[in-house]
């Protein structure tokens, strides 16, 4: 949602501490035997501080005595959710599938699993950030561990991988619109959409309006094409650009906007979105989850905490509280890159704003960039291209060197020595004509 920007309050308190609240989890996770794709995952014991930095940053131990998301339901429109993962066991309701967990073949669509299977891992990661319990080692946990997840499968392909035209997901914008309406009709408190469309679709816009009118807070990712050319990096994305939707950008551990995070007036707040931990659908964990998909999940988790504390609020009140309690980031706020700053769960649940009135909502148009912003983006794109060229050149030089050294060593073993080419070192062409001089340079290599 686009709002009237307001000054920020105090900075977020960053503390590295062990989490003291114990959350009960049960069941045994397993990789879905019907999923054919291979996944990259690590055990809970292998999660390092480098990937649990978001948990350290938010230090939810301070928040849970006040709210844990109890009694709140968050709809996750994604690739489904692997309900038997240890940190999600008992937290996932039976939802609805608009597409099979894996198959793209219309004849093989199995839509009867309630979306509690996930062959991609994306939806499981999002759900874990929102409502996951503590991992075995206690290093990973979600923001609202007592909230329930309602999975709605609208995708089964990685949103960060380019696809051929003939490999598009079977779901359409109309399907997603129907999924939004269905979730709203289940009286969910929050609808998380870590997905985007590049064009405005009437049915999608209408569905978002319907959900907000029903009392659901809609949170959407702000897009991951920020490192592309300017017309793409700053083009509006939907549903994040629709009025009333909380649009979310991504930052790294230094609270600097990630290169991939798109930017424009639809970014209301930012959240962790690179190299973060999240549950994987095989029962283990991803240690490189992120993008604005992960960032949106942190915001949805924060809304879930507020929904427990203030169940009678309207969607715009939750949005106002999230936006007006956002904390410091590396760049200026308010801005196109950072919105109003970093979502801050502690400030959101503890600060009581005296005039928590609905925020002003306007339409979102493509941003008008200043010369400084355009130059900064072009400089960054140039650095990316230069780094790629240098990297490829270094790899090529390495292989040339290795090949050359190997050739010289072989030459020494067989007695090669450097000398001038002689007449004997010439070869005759297969057709008629003069002899072709072959400058061999290394004695012994004769036709």
């Amino acid at each position: 949602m686009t709002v009237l920007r307001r000054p920020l309050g105090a900075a977020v308190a960053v503390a590295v501490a062990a989490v003291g609240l114990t959350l009960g989890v049960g069941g045994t996770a397993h990789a879905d035997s019907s999923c054919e794709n291979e996944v990259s995952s690590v055990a809970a014991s292998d999660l390092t501080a480098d990937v649990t930095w978001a948990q350290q940053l938010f230090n939810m131990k301070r928040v849970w005595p006040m709210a844990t998301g109890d009694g709140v339901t968050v709809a996750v429109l994604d690739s489904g959710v692997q309900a038997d993962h240890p940190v999600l066991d008992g937290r996932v309701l039976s939802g609805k599938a608009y597409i099979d967990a894996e198959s793209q073949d219309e004849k093989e669509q199995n839509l009867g699993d309630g979306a509690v299977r996930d062959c991609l891992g994306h939806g499981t990661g999002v759900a874990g950030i929102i409502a996951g319990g503590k991992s075995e080692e206690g290093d990973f946990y979600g923001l609202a561990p007592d909230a329930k997840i309602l999975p709605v499968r609208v995708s089964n392909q990685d949103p960060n991988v380019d696809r051929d035209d003939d490999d598009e997901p079977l779901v359409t914008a109309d399907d997603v619109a129907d999924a939004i309406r269905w979730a709203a009709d289940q009286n969910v408190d929050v609808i998380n959409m870590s997905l985007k469309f590049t064009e405005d679709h009437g049915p999608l816009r209408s569905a978002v309006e319907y959900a907000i009118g029903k009392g659901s807070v809609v949170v959407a990712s702000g897009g991951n094409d920020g490192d592309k050319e300017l017309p793409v990096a700053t083009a509006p994305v939907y549903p994040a650009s629709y009025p009333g939707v909380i649009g979310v950008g991504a930052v790294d551990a230094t609270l600097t906007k990630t290169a991939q995070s798109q930017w424009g007036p639809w970014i209301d707040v930012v959240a962790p979105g690179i190299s973060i931990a999240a549950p994987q659908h095989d029962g283990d964990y991803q240690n490189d989850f992120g993008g604005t998909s992960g960032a949106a999940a942190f915001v949805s988790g924060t809304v879930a905490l507020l929904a427990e504390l203030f169940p009678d609020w309207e969607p715009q009140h939750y949005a106002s509280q999230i936006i007006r309690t956002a904390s410091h980031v590396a760049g200026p706020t308010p801005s196109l890159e950072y919105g109003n700053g970093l979502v801050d769960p502690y400030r959101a649940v503890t600060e009581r704003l005296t005039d928590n009135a609905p925020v002003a909502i306007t339409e979102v148009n493509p941003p008008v960039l200043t010369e400084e912003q355009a130059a900064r983006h072009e400089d960054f794109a140039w650095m990316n291209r230069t780094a790629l060229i240098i990297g490829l050149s270094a790899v090529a030089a390495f292989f040339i060197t290795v090949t050359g050294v190997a050739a010289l060593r072989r030459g020494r073993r067989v007695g090669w020595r450097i000398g001038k080419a002689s007449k004997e070192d010439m070869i005759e062409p297969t057709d008629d004509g003069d002899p072709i001089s072959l400058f061999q340079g290394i004695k012994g290599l004769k036709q």
Side-chain angles (χ1 to χ4, degrees), residues 208-299:
V208 167
E209 293 173 350
Y210 177 79
I212 294 174
K214 292 275 290 186
S216 298
V217 181
V218 181
V219 180
S221 56
N224 298 322
D225 289 329
D227 56 348
K228 295 185 177 180
E229 298 299 325
L230 278 176
V232 176
T234 58
V237 300
Y238 305 93
S241 291
Y242 290 139
V245 177
I246 304 177
V248 188
V251 293
D252 60 21
T254 68
L255 304 187
T256 301
K257 186 187 82 69
T258 65
Q260 291 75 28
S261 182
Q262 287 179 237
W263 43 296
W266 62 89
I267 300 298
D268 296 301
V269 290
V270 293
I274 191 171
S275 299
I276 54 180
Q280 178 62 281
H281 67 284
D282 66 349
D284 285 328
Y285 296 83
Q286 308 172 60
N287 59 9
D288 58 353
F289 194 67
T292 56
S293 293
F298 284 105
V299 174

Side-chain angles (χ1 to χ4, degrees), residues 121-141:
H122 194 268
T124 302
V126 168
I129 292 173
I130 295 171
K134 287 173 59 178
S135 64
E136 294 176 3
E137 305 296 325
D139 295 327
F140 172 83
Y141 47 82

Side-chain angles (χ1 to χ4, degrees), residues 71 102 108 131 142 160 211 217 254 288 300 356 396 420 423:
E102 186 170 34
E108 298 177 358
N160 297 314
V217 181
T254 68
D288 58 353
S300 290
N356 193 19
K420 293 183 178 180
K423 187 174 182 180

